[in-house]
Amino acid sequence: MAAALMRRLPGLLRFSATACTRTSRVSQLSTLIQTPHLCTSPLPAVSALRRPAVCRTGRYNILQRVSALIPPATQQPIRTLTYVSLKKGKRKTVKSVTQRFMRLHCGLWIRRQAGYKKKLWKKSLAQKRRLRQHVFCNKTQSKMLDKMTSKYWKRRNWYVDDPYQKYHDRVNLKV
């Protein structure tokens, strides 16, 4: 029953409830109802950070000490991940962006149609031809891809016999 009550509490309250308790289960149940007088604070976050200094018992393991620093598991990961260099703190390029997309000089990004390599044996010739075509990314996708790449990938490159030459400069197009 004590374990079921502990699971229902959020992580920070669970840490504050079990940090200064005795090892018996009866004392854990009593601390859920009222906290010990040594570790009381008006804010639970402040008391959770202050407890290891006040309660001076040797019962803390690493998990209890860092559980307040770990984000909850219910948070969704952020997809617009930008890597940062350790030396200068500059943004780094996400390599999968440069492998899957191509940036035109006008700021648009193009990509291959999804599933262009999958199960080709069961697709018709017309469907295979449609899958070979490139697709433009929309405005929000282009902004996100610009954030995920460095300025090296945004500069203009001149190639001999570039098949995308007529697409690099667009007229009357708002991105």
Side-chain angles (χ1 to χ4, degrees), residues 19-20 38-39 50-58 60:
C20 293
L38 289 175
C39 301
R50 196 176 67 170
R51 282 195 183 162
V54 174
C55 292
R56 306 255 181 228
T57 59
Y60 296 111

Side-chain angles (χ1 to χ4, degrees), residues 127-143:
Q127 191 174 7
K128 287 180 191 177
R129 187 177 64 248
R130 282 194 304 271
L131 289 175
R132 281 196 299 266
Q133 296 174 354
H134 285 74
V135 179
F136 286 103
C137 297
N138 62 18
K139 182 179 178 180
T140 57
Q141 289 169 344
S142 296
K143 282 185 178 180

